[in-house]
Amino acid sequence: MRSAWRPRRAAELGALLLLPVLAAAQPAATPPQGRFLRPGTRVGEIVEYELSYRHAPGLNVIFPDSTADYTPFEFVGKTYQPTRTRQGVSLDQTTYRLRTFDLAPVQALQLPVTILRGRDTLTLPSTRATVQLRRVVPPPPAGVTPALRQATALLPVEPAFNYPYWLAGAGVLLLLLGGVALTFGRRWRQRYQLYKLRKNHVYFLAQYARHVERFTLSRSLTNMERAITLWKNYLTNLENNTINSLTTREIVAHYQNDADVRLALRLADRVIYGNQFSEDDTETDLAFDLLRTFADRRFELVRQQVDK
């Protein structure tokens, strides 16, 4: 009698020791749970479907993506939560946004969950979830065809700005402008520079003549100095040099001892600094004419260089 009692007692102890292990393993055997978050939906309306799965932490679980079969529903989007593990059990949960155009009064969905085990895969179907279709229009009686009402009047539509066409047109226009600039840009720049040269030269001649006339009428050295200063500044801007800050000797050397420049500036210096006026205006007129003629020659030289 004692010998039969001992094996029975050992079996009971073993069962008691296995209870925590079985209790921990039981959630992993629970199938994936699927449910709609609302009991009903309408045709074309977004309805949310929640799929969750509790499993052992070591399992590699894959939920359905947008390529899965959601019949009779259509996939719109999804949101998922990171895996949460508590007390040795992991929870994966994803919420799908679906819509249906099926007219069945009750529509069901059952999504599978895939488990990866090395090179093998295991597919577990979820629990079956149903949702009721809420009709906006009551169904017609049996054998009665609903009367259709024709409505062919056009409704006003707000005009939309066609961004792609406008952007494409702007791109083509920029390409055309770039091509024109590459083809004719150099010539246009030459024409503009020639226009500025002529305009500045005409303005110089007009101002120079005004100073010479004032000197002739007043015999004032101030007007003669203004004419010489205007001549120096014009050549400085024309040739991009610094002769307006040079002395007479340095200017003559800068222009390779040009005879017209040397004689004109010598006569001007004798009148301005030596206060030596001749009986007539021949020498001063000659100085003014030589400076104007030299400015014309330098303008023509620069114009030819730009027009090459």
Side-chain angles (χ1 to χ4, degrees), residues 71-89:
T71 307
F73 299 90
E74 293 183 359
F75 177 84
V76 177
K78 69 174 183 177
T79 57
Y80 67 92
Q81 297 180 358
T83 303
R84 293 174 295 176
T85 302
R86 293 180 180 177
Q87 298 180 356
V89 178

Side-chain angles (χ1 to χ4, degrees), residues 246-254 265 269:
L246 302 180
T247 62
T248 298
R249 181 177 300 177
E250 291 172 340
I251 294 174
V252 173
H254 177 78
L265 293 181
D269 287 347

Side-chain angles (χ1 to χ4, degrees), residues 226-293:
R226 290 175 178 174
I228 301 299
T229 302
L230 177 66
W231 178 83
K232 291 180 180 179
N233 290 334
Y234 172 70
L235 291 181
T236 297
N237 295 328
L238 178 66
E239 301 176 337
N240 194 21
N241 54 32
T242 58
I243 67 168
N244 57 352
S245 62
L246 302 180
T247 62
T248 298
R249 181 177 300 177
E250 291 172 340
I251 294 174
V252 173
H254 177 78
Y255 288 114
Q256 290 80 38
N257 201 25
D258 185 87
D260 292 345
V261 175
R262 184 177 69 252
L263 178 58
L265 293 181
R266 182 172 60 82
L267 293 175
D269 287 347
R270 189 173 66 180
V271 173
I272 296 173
Y273 300 110
N275 197 19
Q276 299 179 9
F277 285 97
S278 61
E279 295 297 332
D280 53 14
D281 298 334
T282 305
E283 291 185 354
T284 55
D285 290 344
L286 176 60
F288 286 133
D289 290 341
L290 290 176
L291 293 178
R292 182 179 62 251
T293 302

Side-chain angles (χ1 to χ4, degrees), residues 25-50:
Q26 186 175 358
T30 303
Q33 302 294 313
R35 67 186 184 96
F36 287 97
L37 300 186
R38 291 204 316 263
T41 185
R42 292 182 296 184
V43 173
E45 186 180 27
I46 302 297
V47 62
E48 292 184 337
Y49 171 86
E50 183 183 85

Side-chain angles (χ1 to χ4, degrees), residues 6-19:
R6 287 181 178 179
R8 181 179 178 183
R9 185 64 175 176
E12 291 177 354
L13 289 175
L16 290 175
L17 293 175
L18 289 175
L19 282 177

Side-chain angles (χ1 to χ4, degrees), residues 90-254:
S90 296
L91 173 63
D92 286 316
Q93 192 173 47
T94 300
T95 301
Y96 297 86
R97 299 175 68 242
L98 309 174
R99 62 186 175 188
T100 180
F101 295 94
D102 195 287
L103 299 181
V106 178
Q107 301 181 25
L109 182 63
Q110 192 173 12
L111 293 181
V113 173
T114 303
I115 300 177
L116 299 181
R117 292 180 177 177
R119 297 183 179 180
D120 297 331
T121 59
L122 177 62
T123 301
L124 298 178
S126 64
T127 57
R128 186 171 181 271
T130 59
V131 64
Q132 292 183 354
L133 183 67
R134 297 174 181 172
R135 292 182 177 270
V136 179
V137 178
V144 177
T145 302
L148 300 179
R149 184 175 59 183
Q150 184 177 5
T152 58
L154 298 179
L155 298 177
V157 178
E158 289 290 336
F161 187 79
N162 199 328
Y163 288 99
Y165 283 176
W166 277 95
L167 292 177
V172 172
L173 181 60
L174 290 177
L175 289 177
L176 291 177
L177 292 178
V180 171
L182 291 176
T183 305
F184 304 101
R186 182 175 179 272
R187 186 59 182 170
W188 287 347
R189 287 193 298 270
Q190 286 181 344
R191 289 182 178 274
Y192 179 69
Q193 291 178 356
L194 290 174
Y195 166 76
K196 288 177 59 180
L197 287 174
R198 294 190 187 97
K199 182 179 179 181
N200 293 337
H201 189 65
V202 170
Y203 179 79
F204 159 72
L205 293 177
Q207 294 297 317
Y208 186 79
R210 182 177 302 174
H211 289 309
V212 172
E213 182 181 1
R214 289 177 179 175
F215 172 78
T216 303
L217 295 176
S218 64
R219 308 295 289 177
S220 172
L221 295 179
T222 302
N223 290 323
M224 190 173 190
E225 289 179 353
R226 290 175 178 174
I228 301 299
T229 302
L230 177 66
W231 178 83
K232 291 180 180 179
N233 290 334
Y234 172 70
L235 291 181
T236 297
N237 295 328
L238 178 66
E239 301 176 337
N240 194 21
N241 54 32
T242 58
I243 67 168
N244 57 352
S245 62
L246 302 180
T247 62
T248 298
R249 181 177 300 177
E250 291 172 340
I251 294 174
V252 173
H254 177 78

